[in-house]
């Protein structure tokens, strides 16, 4: 008996494994049970006195069902099998069995119900509709014929036989239908359990993804801190040198302005790299603000002109002089687009020229700016034009294998233009060059026209940098930063505003200072070791009578950081490198009662610059004779010797260093001393933090 059970189990297992679709499992179940029921019916028909014809028909039905099982499972022809069984048994054989098995006085009407249920359970598509209609028509006709011609029906031998046949049919069909419902209920429960398991799995996966996302954000935030901190020093010192009271030669001042323009553009690129997760998810943010088109063009040209000159190409500008200069839009993103397109043009141009054109037309209160970047490079084949703006797309890789690039620039530029309501298209003739046309709609804020024809972009830069000579005498400002270089930059940037400035290098010192002095404004660095800016702020808020506004200083410029700082209780934040206009706007907002304002234009005051034009100092500086230049501007020989000793050990270019700091030897020596001391100290600190696993402190160094 055990062997028989094992054999049966082994025989039917292939028909009910979990790899089979649910509808085929149901098909197999119904056919198996109908086959068993048919076998029982064939045997019992002999005992209830059914005609021999009915027994033959039932046997033929069994053959069809066995063949259907074979076809559906062995040959994987489920649809064909369901059609054969439905048509052959339910539509063809059931009517015959009805006529030979007693008609309405037997059990066959109940089997008609099973035939319809079977069709609904296993048939799909057109087969379902055709079989259902045929069953309705055939069953209706057969009942009508038997009603009109009752003599055509073969009656069973006795009333007892009729009742037994009806009982048998009720039991068999009822059990089959009941098993079907139980199967569907069990399948439904299985699906619910599976969905619950999937939901739990998805929740776990969601938590894991969020953890990974947070880790990625933390990594990018730390990288932002690591990269932007030295950028703060570079750009900050250049700004301090420009704002120095010392009179600078024109070429030195222009070089510093170029450093600022290039530094700011580099900072924009760094921001894009740090926010790449935002690019991947398609969640780039457009941040519009008022800007000067002349300044934008100048900054873009400053970045690109070095590469143009290296390849000995001509750089041409063709700017419509009637374009409004003061516009409202995302200056950083527009710069990014133009820089990407111009860089691309330079990469693929070996001879000839690169031209930047700008035209416009008015649409209500907006200007539709049309930039065109025209090159005389290798051009693009027609079949490659459609793939130009796909991510990581690089055309003719073998030919251009020496040209650097990731293939992201054009894709990002196209997406940015689209987000600003514009577009980028390209026209090209292979072998002769390409023209990229960038169209962007920007709101006009002032009807002042862009300066000149665009060729005098340096003058446009000066004109656009008119600023207010605003001071805040008497205002008490506290700067908190563990980095001495950052404190030095902050001191230089805040110096012209004549505030009563205090500086401390830790959160603990800030708390002690605030206990003694009621500050009008506190600039607090976030990433500090041991006791960071957030912890310091929480401690300050607990002090009695503490009401000072606190601004976060941070090298973390990731998306959403401003809302994060506000939620922590800061009154605002300033990203490093500190932009003078942002710093000034912050001071104006919180120190308004101390403000003394007088509009000036420092950059157009040429009196100081004239003193250095074509003078001995300027010529010596150009010739890199720094010792002589320093001596002429009045620095002591002792300072020069100190600077020489430092720069020789560090292998620095003192001429470049001095040019960054407006030839101020005093500032140059101070920066070098801080650098030498902090480098050794930071190296020791980082080694200690790594050994102790204090990664938060390590990231803040």
């Amino acid at each position: 008996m055990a062997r028989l059970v094992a054999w049966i189990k082994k025989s039917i297992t292939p028909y009910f494994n979990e790899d089979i679709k649910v509808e085929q499992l149901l098909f197999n179940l119904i056919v198996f049970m109908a086959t068993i029921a048919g076998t029982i019916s064939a045997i019992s028909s002999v005992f209830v006195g059914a005609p021999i014809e009915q027994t033959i028909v039932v046997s033929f039905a069994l053959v069809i069902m066995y063949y259907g099982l074979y076809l559906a499972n062995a040959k994987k022809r489920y649809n064909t099998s369901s059609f054969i069984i439905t048509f052959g048994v339910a539509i063809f054989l059931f009517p015959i069995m009805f006529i030979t098995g007693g008609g309405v006085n037997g059990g066959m009407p109940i089997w008609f119900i099973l035939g319809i249920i079977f069709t609904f359970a296993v048939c799909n598509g057109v087969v379902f509709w055709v079989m259902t209609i045929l069953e309705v028509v055939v069953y209706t006709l057969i009942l009508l014929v038997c009603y009109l011609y009752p003599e055509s029906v073969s009656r069973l031998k006795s009333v007892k036989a009729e009742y037994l046949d009806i009982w048998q049919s009720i039991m068999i069909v009822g059990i089959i239908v009941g098993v079907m419902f139980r199967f569907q209920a069990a399948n439904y429960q299985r699906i619910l359990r599976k969905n619950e398991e999937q939901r739990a799995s998805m929740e776990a996966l969601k938590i894991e993804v969020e953890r990974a996302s947070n880790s990625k954000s933390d990594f990018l935030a730390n990288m932002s801190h690591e990269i932007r901190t030295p950028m703060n020093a570079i750009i900050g010192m250049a700004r301090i040198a420009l704002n120095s009271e010392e009179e600078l030669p024109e070429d030195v001042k222009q070089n510093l302005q170029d450093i600022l323009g290039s530094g700011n553009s580099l900072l924009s690129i760094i921001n894009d790299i740090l926010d790449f997760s935002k690019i991947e998810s398609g969640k780039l943010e457009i941040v519009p603000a008022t800007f000067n088109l002349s300044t934008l063009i100048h900054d873009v040209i400053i970045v690109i002109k070095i590469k143009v000159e290296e390849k000995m190409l001509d750089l041409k500008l063709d700017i419509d002089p009637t374009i409004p200069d003061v516009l409202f839009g995302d200056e950083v993103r527009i710069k990014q687009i133009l820089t990407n397109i111009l860089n691309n043009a330079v990469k693929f141009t070996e001879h000839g020229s690169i031209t930047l054109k700008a035209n416009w037309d008015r649409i209500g209160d907006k200007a539709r700016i049309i930039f065109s970047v025209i090159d005389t490079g290798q051009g693009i084949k027609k079949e490659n034009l459609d793939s130009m703006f796909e991510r990581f797309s690089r055309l003719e890789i073998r030919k251009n294998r020496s040209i650097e690039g990731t293939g992201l620039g054009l894709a990002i530029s196209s997406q940015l233009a689209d987000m600003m309501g514009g577009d980028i298209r390209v026209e090209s003739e292979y072998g002769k060059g390409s023209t990229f046309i960038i169209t962007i709609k920007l709101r006009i804020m002032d009807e002042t026209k862009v300066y000149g024809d665009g060729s005098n972009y340096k003058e446009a830069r000066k004109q656009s940098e008119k600023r207010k000579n605003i001071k805040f005498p008497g205002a008490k400002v506290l700067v908190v930063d563990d980095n001495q270089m950052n404190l030095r930059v902050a001191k230089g940037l805040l110096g012209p505003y004549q505030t009563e400035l205090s500086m401390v290098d830790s959160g603990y010192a800030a708390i002690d200072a605030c206990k003694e002095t009621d500050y009008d404004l506190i600039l607090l660095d976030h990433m500090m070791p041991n006791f960071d800016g957030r912890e310091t702020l929480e401690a300050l808020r607990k002090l009695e009578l503490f009401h000072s506004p606190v601004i976060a200083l941070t090298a973390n410029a990731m998306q959403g950081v401003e809302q994060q700082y506000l939620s922590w209780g800061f009154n605002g934040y300033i990203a490093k490198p500190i932009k003078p206009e942002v710093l000034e706007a912050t001071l104006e907002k919180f120190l308004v009662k101390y403000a003394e304002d007088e509009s000036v234009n420092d950059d157009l005051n040429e009196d100081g610059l004239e003193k250095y034009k074509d003078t001995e100092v300027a010529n010596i500086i150009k010739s890199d004779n720094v010792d002589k230049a320093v001596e002429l501007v009045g620095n002591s020989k002792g300072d020069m010797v100190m600077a020489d000793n430092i720069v020789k050990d560090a292998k620095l270019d003192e001429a470049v260093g001095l040019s960054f700091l407006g030839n101020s030897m005093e500032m140059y020596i101070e920066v070098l001393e801080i650098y030498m001391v902090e480098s050794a100290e930071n190296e020791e600190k980082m080694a200690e933090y790594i050994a102790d696993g204090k990664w938060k402190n390590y990231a803040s160094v």
Side-chain angles (χ1 to χ4, degrees):
M1 187 65 181
R3 289 183 179 181
L4 178 62
V5 172
W7 178 80
I8 294 173
K9 186 176 180 181
K10 182 179 179 181
S11 300
I12 66 174
T13 296
Y15 298 94
F16 296 99
N17 65 66
E18 293 184 355
D19 295 333
I20 299 175
K21 292 181 180 179
V22 174
E23 59 184 10
Q24 187 170 339
L25 283 174
L26 183 59
F27 169 86
N28 290 344
L29 179 65
I30 296 172
V31 174
F32 260 110
M33 294 194 66
T35 303
I36 295 170
T39 304
I40 294 172
S41 178
I43 295 171
S44 65
S45 63
V46 176
F47 298 98
V48 299
I52 189 64
E53 295 89 349
Q54 185 178 12
T55 304
I56 294 172
V57 172
V58 171
S59 301
F60 187 56
L62 290 174
V63 173
I64 293 176
M65 287 189 286
Y66 279 126
Y67 178 70
L69 278 174
Y70 167 78
L71 201 61
N73 293 276
K75 297 297 183 180
K76 308 300 181 184
R77 297 175 63 182
Y78 169 75
N79 291 330
T80 304
S81 177
S82 62
F83 171 78
I84 290 173
I85 292 177
T86 305
F87 184 82
V89 177
I91 295 175
F92 181 69
L93 294 180
F94 276 5
I96 296 175
M97 293 167 67
F98 177 82
I99 294 172
T100 61
V104 295
N105 295 310
M108 276 312 299
I110 299 172
W111 288 88
F112 286 166
I113 297 172
L114 182 61
I116 294 174
I117 291 174
F118 182 82
T119 302
F120 271 79
V122 302
C123 293
N124 296 306
V126 176
V127 173
F128 165 75
W129 291 106
V130 171
M131 293 298 102
T132 301
I133 293 170
L134 281 175
E135 282 178 325
V136 171
V137 172
V138 170
Y139 293 166
T140 302
L141 288 175
I142 199 66
L143 288 170
L144 183 61
V145 168
C146 292
Y147 172 74
L148 295 175
Y149 305 99
E151 68 277 4
S152 63
V153 178
S154 298
R155 298 290 296 271
L156 297 179
K157 291 182 179 181
S158 65
V159 173
K160 179 181 178 181
E162 291 175 346
Y163 273 93
L164 284 173
D165 189 52
I166 293 171
W167 175 83
Q168 169 189 272
S169 298
I170 291 173
M171 293 299 104
I172 293 173
V173 172
I175 291 171
I176 291 175
V177 173
V179 170
M180 286 174 56
F181 278 109
R182 288 299 297 269
F183 173 82
Q184 289 291 58
N187 185 59
Y188 177 71
Q189 291 297 325
R190 184 177 64 84
I191 292 173
L192 284 181
R193 286 195 301 271
K194 190 173 182 180
N195 288 342
E196 184 63 25
E197 291 172 359
Q198 289 179 340
R199 189 192 65 78
S201 177
M202 290 298 292
E203 285 293 329
L205 182 61
K206 180 183 177 183
I207 293 172
E208 187 64 29
V209 169
E210 288 177 351
R211 186 182 295 114
S213 178
N214 291 335
S215 298
K216 180 179 179 181
S217 297
D218 291 342
F219 170 76
L220 291 175
N222 288 333
M223 285 304 298
S224 174
H225 175 80
E226 296 290 344
I227 296 172
R228 293 172 71 90
T229 295
M231 286 297 297
N232 179 49
I234 294 169
I235 295 176
M237 288 301 178
R239 284 177 175 141
I240 291 171
L242 277 173
N243 295 332
S244 171
E245 294 181 358
E246 295 184 40
E247 296 175 347
L248 302 177
E250 176 64 20
D251 58 341
V252 173
K253 188 169 184 178
Q254 186 59 59
N255 287 340
L256 288 169
Q257 289 174 336
D258 290 349
I259 289 170
L260 275 180
S262 298
N264 286 325
S265 294
L266 176 59
L267 197 59
S268 298
I269 295 171
I270 292 172
N271 289 339
D272 289 334
I273 295 172
L274 296 174
D275 290 341
F276 191 70
S277 59
K278 182 174 54 177
I279 296 172
E280 288 178 319
S281 62
K283 295 180 180 179
L284 289 167
E285 183 178 353
I286 300 300
V287 184
T290 301
F291 71 94
N292 293 88
L293 183 61
S294 54
T295 305
L296 183 149
I297 293 173
H298 170 271
D299 289 346
V300 170
I301 294 303
I302 285 299
V303 171
I304 205 68
K305 71 174 183 178
I306 298 174
K307 293 183 179 181
V308 171
E309 291 169 356
E310 285 176 353
K311 297 187 75 172
M312 293 184 289
L313 302 171
D314 292 329
L315 180 59
K316 301 177 182 179
L317 292 179
D318 183 4
I319 311 299
D320 184 345
T322 67
I323 300 177
D325 190 40
V326 186
L327 303 168
F328 186 79
D330 194 329
E331 179 184 13
V332 171
R333 298 303 184 188
I334 297 172
K335 279 184 185 178
Q336 183 180 354
I337 292 172
L338 292 177
T339 302
N340 282 341
I341 302 297
L342 284 164
N343 272 327
N344 223 49
V346 174
K347 286 179 185 178
F348 294 96
T349 302
E350 297 300 326
H351 307 285
S353 63
I354 307 292
T355 302
L356 174 61
K357 292 179 64 175
N359 296 295
W360 78 297
D361 51 47
R362 184 185 293 272
I363 304 174
D365 64 341
K366 293 184 178 180
R368 188 167 68 102
I369 309 297
I370 306 166
F371 295 103
S372 299
V373 176
I374 307 166
D375 66 65
T376 58
Q378 64 188 42
I380 306 162
K381 294 179 179 178
K382 287 184 178 180
E383 59 266 27
N384 292 331
L385 289 175
D386 291 339
S387 62
M388 283 296 298
F389 299 102
E390 294 177 1
R391 290 186 178 188
F392 304 106
S393 174
R394 297 193 66 191
L395 307 181
E396 299 185 273
I397 294 177
R398 289 188 178 180
K399 180 178 179 180
N400 302 317
R401 61 184 180 276
S402 62
I403 297 175
E404 62 182 17
T406 62
L408 275 174
L410 290 180
I412 295 172
S413 298
S414 178
Q415 188 174 1
L416 289 173
D418 182 68
M419 293 184 68
M420 289 186 284
D423 59 36
I424 302 177
R425 64 184 190 276
V426 59
E427 300 171 356
S428 185
E429 185 175 351
Y430 190 65
K432 293 188 176 181
S434 304
T435 300
F436 284 81
I437 303 165
I438 306 105
T439 304
I440 301 172
K441 293 179 183 178
L442 302 167
R443 183 147 40 101
I444 301 170
M445 304 300 291
D446 193 305
E447 294 293 341
T448 304
K449 305 304 178 187
V450 71
Y451 289 94
D453 62 357
S455 59
N456 191 10
Y457 51 84
K458 292 185 179 181
E459 186 63 24
R461 177 72 175 183
K462 291 180 182 179
Q463 292 283 356
S464 67
E465 286 184 346
K466 292 182 180 180
R467 59 183 177 84
K468 292 182 290 185
N469 186 17
I470 191 168
K471 295 178 174 59
F472 305 93
K476 297 181 178 66
V477 178
L478 174 66
V479 179
V480 187
D481 198 310
D482 65 297
N483 187 304
Q484 291 297 318
M485 184 73 73
N486 288 340
L487 289 175
R488 180 70 182 88
V489 170
K491 180 181 178 181
L493 292 175
L494 286 165
Y497 297 106
Q498 297 182 1
T499 62
E500 295 181 12
L501 181 62
S502 301
M503 297 188 298
V504 296
D505 60 3
S506 72
Y508 299 112
I511 295 170
D512 292 338
C514 290
K515 289 178 180 178
E516 301 294 330
T517 306
D518 184 15
Y519 289 100
D520 298 293
L521 182 65
I522 299 174
L523 304 179
L524 176 61
D525 183 39
H526 175 208
M527 299 284 281
M528 296 187 295
N530 300 319
F531 201 58
D532 66 19
R534 183 181 180 184
E535 295 166 334
T536 301
L537 176 64
E538 291 174 353
L540 288 174
R541 296 295 186 203
K542 294 177 182 178
L543 294 178
E544 188 177 358
L545 301 177
F546 179 84
H547 301 293
S548 303
V550 182
I551 305 300
L553 293 177
T554 177
N556 179 7
M558 294 293 294
Q559 177 74 21
V561 71
E562 181 174 11
Q563 291 302 319
Q564 184 181 64
Y565 282 116
L566 292 176
S567 69
W568 288 346
F570 287 93
N571 298 91
Y573 97 110
I574 298 176
K576 298 176 184 178
I578 300 172
K579 293 183 178 180
E581 60 270 22
V582 175
L583 176 62
E584 186 166 295
T586 302
L587 296 177
E588 285 187 278
K589 179 179 179 180
F590 293 100
L591 305 178
V592 62
K593 66 180 180 180
Y594 296 98
E596 295 180 2
D597 185 13
E598 180 183 354
S599 295
V600 297
N601 181 5
D602 293 340
D603 289 329
L604 293 181
N605 183 358
E606 297 290 342
D607 293 341
L609 297 178
E610 288 293 340
K611 295 180 181 180
Y612 282 97
K613 283 184 178 179
D614 300 322
T615 63
E616 185 179 4
V617 173
N619 291 329
I620 291 173
I621 291 173
K622 291 177 182 177
S623 67
D624 291 338
N625 190 341
V626 180
D627 287 345
K628 184 63 177 174
V630 170
E631 185 178 349
L632 285 172
V633 296
N635 291 289
S636 69
K637 187 66 177 176
D639 284 348
M640 291 164 53
V641 171
M642 185 183 298
D644 276 344
N645 290 336
I646 296 174
V647 299
K648 284 176 182 176
D649 290 339
K651 297 181 180 180
L652 302 177
D653 189 329
E654 56 188 328
V656 174
L658 282 168
S659 69
F660 286 171
L661 301 171
N663 279 331
S664 172
M665 180 59 73
E666 181 182 358
M667 186 181 296
Y668 185 55
I669 291 171
E670 184 175 352
V671 170
L672 288 174
E673 288 176 334
I674 293 173
Y675 170 77
M676 295 298 290
V677 172
E678 285 197 347
S679 293
E681 291 179 352
N682 287 343
E683 186 175 351
E684 293 176 2
K685 286 181 182 178
M686 287 190 289
E688 179 185 342
Y689 292 150
I690 290 173
D692 296 340
K694 297 180 178 179
W695 302 112
K696 178 182 176 183
N697 290 346
Y698 173 80
S700 67
V701 175

